[in-house]
Amino acid sequence: MEYIESLLEEYYELSLKLKALGGPGQDGNLYDEILSIEEEICWECSLPASAKNRQLFQFFNPKESMKTNIQNSLQTLGRARTQYQYKPEKSFFQYLESEEESRDIKNIRVPIVNGTFYEFLYSV
């Protein structure tokens, strides 16, 4: 976490410097450096470097301290990492479609406490 914190700190400092210069058009090398730091932050958090994941830490509140902004970003990145890691590769319906083609599925009904049944499929 300390490495990610240092990356975020560097990212915020360079972003403020680029903003003071007038934006990406004024210093292309600095902008490229910021983009590479964004990719590294995503990589260190085990997230793909997509535009959606970059937005998790791009927007920061200049009225709050840098430490507060970094802590907020770390929490947001942690939540996104957890959601990304537990997201299934395929949705249940995509799984059913692929398994129906092979016809090697068995249906199981499991009773639940309230008297209803929970049905699920597994391949055999």
Side-chain angles (χ1 to χ4, degrees):
M1 279 301 212
E2 291 177 12
Y3 181 63
I4 297 172
E5 288 178 27
S6 67
L7 285 174
L8 286 168
E9 186 176 323
E10 182 180 5
Y11 173 78
Y12 290 140
E13 289 173 358
L14 293 177
S15 295
L16 291 173
K17 183 177 178 181
L18 185 65
K19 185 177 180 180
L21 291 174
Q26 302 300 320
D27 191 349
N29 292 332
L30 182 60
Y31 183 66
D32 289 340
E33 186 177 348
I34 289 172
L35 291 178
S36 67
I37 292 172
E38 285 180 358
E39 289 178 4
E40 192 168 354
I41 290 170
C42 288
W43 185 78
E44 287 294 324
C45 292
S46 302
L47 293 168
S50 65
K52 181 181 175 184
N53 289 331
R54 290 172 187 227
Q55 288 178 352
L56 296 173
F57 57 89
Q58 280 180 340
F59 304 113
F60 56 94
N61 188 354
K63 295 178 184 177
E64 294 182 3
S65 70
M66 186 179 296
K67 184 176 182 178
T68 304
N69 282 314
I70 289 173
Q71 292 304 316
N72 292 340
S73 295
L74 286 174
Q75 290 173 356
T76 305
L77 288 166
R79 285 191 300 268
R81 176 180 37 211
T82 303
Q83 288 175 347
Y84 180 75
Q85 288 176 348
Y86 288 106
K87 184 177 81 171
E89 293 293 320
K90 294 182 185 178
S91 71
F92 183 68
F93 295 112
Q94 290 173 334
Y95 177 75
L96 285 179
E97 288 173 359
S98 65
E99 291 297 319
E100 283 179 1
E101 294 170 2
S102 66
R103 300 284 181 205
D104 293 334
I105 298 179
K106 188 165 187 171
N107 190 0
I108 295 202
R109 295 180 72 191
V110 178
I112 302 179
V113 176
N114 63 1
T116 61
F117 288 90
Y118 176 72
E119 294 190 20
F120 65 95
L121 305 172
Y122 74 96
S123 54
V124 289

